[in-house]
Amino acid sequence: FFLSLKLEKKTKGKLQKQICQVVLDHFEKQYTAELGDAWSSVRDVLTSPWCWQHALLLNRFSPCPGLESSLAEQGYHPAFPAALPYLPAAFRCYIRPAPGRFPSQKHQPGKLKEYYLLNAASLLPVLALEVKDGEDVLDLCAAPGGKSVAILQCACPGHFHCNEYDDLRSRWLEQTIESFIPDPLINLVMVSKLDGRQIGDLQPEFYDKVLVDAPCSNDRSWLFSADPQQAVLRLMQRKELSSLQFQLLRSAIKALRPGGSLVYSTCTLSKAENSDVINLILNSCRNVMPVDIREVARGVSQEFTFLGGTQRHELLVLPEKGRAWGPMYIAKLKKMSST
């Protein structure tokens, strides 16, 4: 126990130094204005990596006898209750209130991993998307691949297109899929490196479901930017992100079949990249309507803290001590029939 306290102090000292003051000052100003009183407890979690938690998404294609009972012994429990509107039986994710990280598994060619370590909030967009067997699905900005893997834990799409424009991230995505998905099923997965803004024109009305996990200002990692100059540049470019996100969404809507639905998600608290982008889409695209996802929030309110006062089609997960999940913004839209 004393050793772990010592280690914690050491870690605290180390990480405290690495917080990027430029980014923290920027967040302080913006998020005090946008989140009000909620910001101070969120800031406490974001600036304290030793209290962050990790979830384990089990891989249904590589069952590991004894893993679940061993997790239970270590204080883990299922993250998502059966009361959710959509929770496939094969979808199993474990969390525990204590911080700390389960050992990760190394990539070994030809060998499937048994679990994926992630922020539990990043599974909410997948559960909100409600993919069914046989549907044609597009994951527009798919790297590093956690959400693609999660979609395949839920259902077996007819055609599954995972796209990642960035070359390095695309290789990472391919490796993730290889690590979790067995051969016969991997043939259903098409990985591409297209500009996501053009997919709607290239494949109009082709997909039943689209996930847009958009490039965003990642609040968690930005706070620990090692290079202050890079941080300043990022903050300057931050204003341009919402325009890219809007274009990706427009492309996703074009790629959707009438009657199909899409989920938009980011891992930032920033209103400009979240509800502002969604409002702009709703105001400029006549053929989409918002979908109520409050039932998802009700189903997981034991494990996740949400910002109050959001619209019925959107959720914002706020990190809290003991429930250090998020930030994660989720919004759901449906494309109307073209009658």
Side-chain angles (χ1 to χ4, degrees):
F1 173 73
F2 289 114
L3 180 68
S4 68
L5 258 184
K6 248 188 200 162
L7 272 172
E8 191 177 293
K9 274 190 180 147
K10 211 169 166 183
T11 322
K12 274 189 184 179
K14 235 181 182 168
L15 290 163
Q16 211 65 54
K17 280 193 207 82
Q18 291 173 1
I19 286 172
C20 185
Q21 199 55 48
V22 184
V23 176
L24 186 57
D25 293 346
H26 178 91
F27 284 2
E28 199 70 59
K29 213 154 105 187
Q30 181 182 351
Y31 294 149
T32 301
E34 289 178 11
L35 302 173
D37 297 342
W39 166 240
S40 64
S41 61
V42 170
R43 181 191 55 213
D44 288 350
V45 173
L46 291 183
T47 54
S48 316
W50 59 90
C51 77
W52 293 1
Q53 292 153 275
H54 293 83
L56 281 91
L57 175 67
L58 303 197
N59 186 8
R60 67 174 169 142
F61 306 112
S62 178
C64 174
L67 177 59
E68 284 175 271
S69 52
S70 147
L71 286 171
E73 280 163 24
Q74 293 174 60
Y76 283 86
H77 62 273
F80 300 103
L84 276 176
Y86 170 86
L87 190 75
F91 186 90
R92 299 196 311 289
C93 173
Y94 282 83
I95 59 174
R96 65 174 179 184
R101 194 186 171 114
F102 206 73
S104 56
Q105 295 179 313
K106 294 236 182 316
H107 173 71
Q108 291 176 277
K111 191 174 189 305
L112 293 183
K113 292 186 182 182
E114 287 144 7
Y115 54 83
Y116 191 99
L117 292 177
L118 39 62
N119 183 322
S122 64
L123 295 170
L124 291 173
V126 171
L127 294 176
L129 194 60
E130 301 193 14
V131 175
K132 311 276 192 303
D133 285 348
E135 287 182 327
D136 296 323
V137 182
L138 167 64
D139 188 349
L140 192 69
C141 317
K147 292 181 182 69
S148 304
V149 164
I151 285 170
L152 290 165
Q153 301 304 316
C154 292
C156 185
H159 172 79
F160 190 24
H161 181 176
C162 300
N163 182 67
E164 178 52 54
Y165 185 47
D166 182 89
D167 201 44
L168 197 67
R169 287 173 62 82
S170 178
R171 287 207 289 279
W172 191 3
L173 168 67
E174 283 181 344
Q175 194 179 80
T176 303
I177 289 169
E178 267 169 41
S179 294
F180 284 91
I181 310 306
D183 266 350
L185 194 59
I186 233 166
N187 300 335
L188 296 177
V189 183
M190 181 182 104
V191 177
S192 68
K193 285 191 276 198
L194 299 164
D195 181 335
R197 294 169 291 188
Q198 294 166 0
I199 287 181
D201 290 325
L202 295 169
Q203 297 182 304
E205 304 201 341
F206 190 83
Y207 298 98
D208 302 297
K209 301 275 164 75
V210 179
L211 176 64
V212 184
D213 185 41
C216 68
S217 44
N218 181 329
D219 295 352
R220 274 186 192 241
S221 67
W222 279 28
L223 271 169
F224 294 92
S225 306
D227 176 358
Q229 279 157 323
Q230 184 201 28
V232 171
L233 191 66
R234 273 177 168 173
L235 291 171
M236 282 162 61
Q237 292 169 336
R238 195 177 198 198
K239 296 180 185 71
E240 295 157 26
L241 278 167
S242 51
S243 155
L244 168 66
Q245 290 154 346
F246 176 76
Q247 290 167 6
L248 288 167
L249 263 175
R250 272 238 304 253
S251 172
I253 290 162
K254 283 182 188 170
L256 262 186
R257 291 189 178 122
S261 52
L262 76 80
V263 167
Y264 172 78
S265 61
T266 73
C267 52
T268 179
L269 299 158
S270 175
K271 188 171 163 289
E273 297 176 53
N274 294 341
S275 48
D276 288 358
V277 174
I278 292 294
N279 290 337
L280 194 57
I281 277 287
L282 288 169
N283 291 331
S284 60
C285 298
R286 291 266 160 79
N287 59 342
V288 287
M289 64 177 290
V291 178
D292 192 337
I293 53 172
R294 285 173 299 184
E295 219 180 311
V296 177
R298 278 196 291 271
V300 296
S301 59
Q302 289 291 294
E303 307 290 3
F304 297 90
T305 304
F306 296 98
L307 178 69
T310 54
Q311 301 288 308
R312 62 192 178 90
H313 58 274
E314 56 177 3
L315 304 171
L316 179 60
V317 181
L318 300 178
E320 254 193 6
K321 286 232 165 85
R323 307 203 268 190
W325 312 114
M328 181 59 57
Y329 174 81
I330 302 123
K332 187 169 184 178
L333 307 174
K334 184 179 170 122
K335 187 170 183 174
M336 305 311 294
S337 303
S338 40
T339 45

